[in-house]
Amino acid sequence: MNREIDRVSKWGVLSLVGLFAVSGLMAQSVPATESPKYPSFRIGGFAGLELHTSSDNRREGLDLVEIDLYPTAQFSDRWSALAEVVALRDLRPSTTETGRRPLLELDLERLFVAYEPTDLLRIEVGETHTGIVRWNEREHRSRLLQTPIDVPAIARPPQDDGAWPLRFVGLWLSGRSKGPLGFRYGLALGNGSGTVRDSIPIFGRDRSTAGLLSLSIEPARWHGLELAVAGYAQRIPTAEPLHERDVTFSTSYVNRGTEVRTEWAQMLHTAVHSRKRYRSTGYYVLASQRLGGRLARLRPYVLIDRLSLAPGEAYLRDARDENAWAGGLRYDLTGHFTLKTEFRSQRGQ
């Protein structure tokens, strides 16, 4: 092992993640022979406990409890609504450049109404994911659904020192075809991050118009393969306004216990008046394999995680670079509970 890496940071991570679902608080399950009754309401969610040890004594805020709730409503075959609220409780308080991080954080991740008349068209209105980073669009936030403990650096939200704009408020159109290519599309228009990266203003001078286009295919001939590309644009109303242009390319293959995911992202900020350009890039590679036979509950994995931020850019001053790799083991106790342990090595910045 490189001595520089070893000296800067070695983490051992233990995370216990559980899934709980409360369905039928307001509606009972309906037999398959009966027509569903509307409106119906459900509450589902995820809970996780994350514990760390680190050779870097300056690193704080590692241990936390997370609860992720998903209230949903189904008004008819075509109309529905969803909200996602995340509560984080730091067991070890941490500090940032702007002050001490609060012990308890509450975040509204999504809140939208959806109308889906056909597979070719789904309309969402409200606050949702931008779709620019495929990891977030596919995995959302749950640590139970994703194989590793933490999300890659490019998928971190701004409130967790991430760089990419992962949420917006507005209109989202999406759909999929039934052809052999398995074509999917997404088109979004709304308001993105303002002068504060983790805030989305809707009214006033601070608001930032944003748009996104994403395309992907899942060829039937190669079951489990997905190829995707996405582009995102917005104008950021900072002291000197910035034009943001983002692009991502991703591939994933998940089939018969094999999982390989890769994604590359670029963010380009151009100052409107001085024309100065700031270019940030990042990527991740995740590979895992579920074992067979009596070891089928085990899934070892390896994650390579990189993020290089543009030097000297004030708008991304709270984000952080990443140069790390991780090796871990996921053990699925049941369909609702999983135990993950991970070793992560990270270079100092």
Side-chain angles (χ1 to χ4, degrees), residues 152-173:
I154 64 172
R156 287 197 300 254
Q159 64 267 28
D160 293 337
D161 303 325
W164 267 259
L166 302 182
R167 292 183 298 171
F168 88 116
V169 177
L171 175 68
W172 172 265
L173 306 178

Side-chain angles (χ1 to χ4, degrees), residues 99-263:
R100 195 173 184 84
R101 188 185 299 274
L103 288 177
L104 179 64
E105 295 184 45
L106 292 175
D107 289 316
L108 178 64
E109 293 292 318
R110 291 182 290 165
L111 177 61
F112 62 81
V113 175
Y115 175 66
E116 188 172 7
T118 68
D119 289 340
L120 286 173
L121 179 62
R122 175 181 172 87
I123 304 172
E124 298 177 6
V125 178
E127 181 173 359
T128 186
H129 295 153
T130 62
I132 185 58
V133 176
R134 191 63 179 169
W135 180 284
N136 299 80
E137 183 65 19
R138 181 182 52 237
E139 306 292 346
H140 294 296
R141 189 181 176 95
S142 166
R143 295 174 187 265
L144 183 78
L145 297 179
Q146 66 187 34
T147 297
I149 293 175
D150 288 322
V151 300
I154 64 172
R156 287 197 300 254
Q159 64 267 28
D160 293 337
D161 303 325
W164 267 259
L166 302 182
R167 292 183 298 171
F168 88 116
V169 177
L171 175 68
W172 172 265
L173 306 178
S174 61
R176 62 185 184 275
S177 69
K178 297 181 179 180
L181 280 180
F183 174 76
R184 292 174 179 260
Y185 74 91
L187 180 64
L189 181 65
N191 290 329
S193 303
T195 54
V196 179
R197 291 189 309 112
D198 61 351
S199 175
I200 305 174
I202 302 176
F203 305 104
R205 297 180 179 179
D206 193 34
R207 67 179 182 179
S208 172
T209 302
L212 173 122
L213 174 65
S214 67
L215 304 171
S216 67
I217 58 172
E218 298 180 44
R221 183 176 180 180
W222 296 292
H223 180 68
L225 176 67
E226 180 193 66
L227 307 174
V229 60
Y232 178 86
Q234 70 172 341
R235 178 185 171 95
I236 305 171
T238 50
E240 180 178 9
L242 299 171
H243 284 147
E244 177 170 335
R245 301 293 183 266
D246 303 339
V247 62
T248 57
F249 299 92
S250 69
T251 64
S252 69
Y253 178 76
V254 181
N255 190 18
R256 298 181 179 179
T258 300
E259 176 187 27
V260 179
R261 302 189 190 274
T262 67
E263 188 166 6

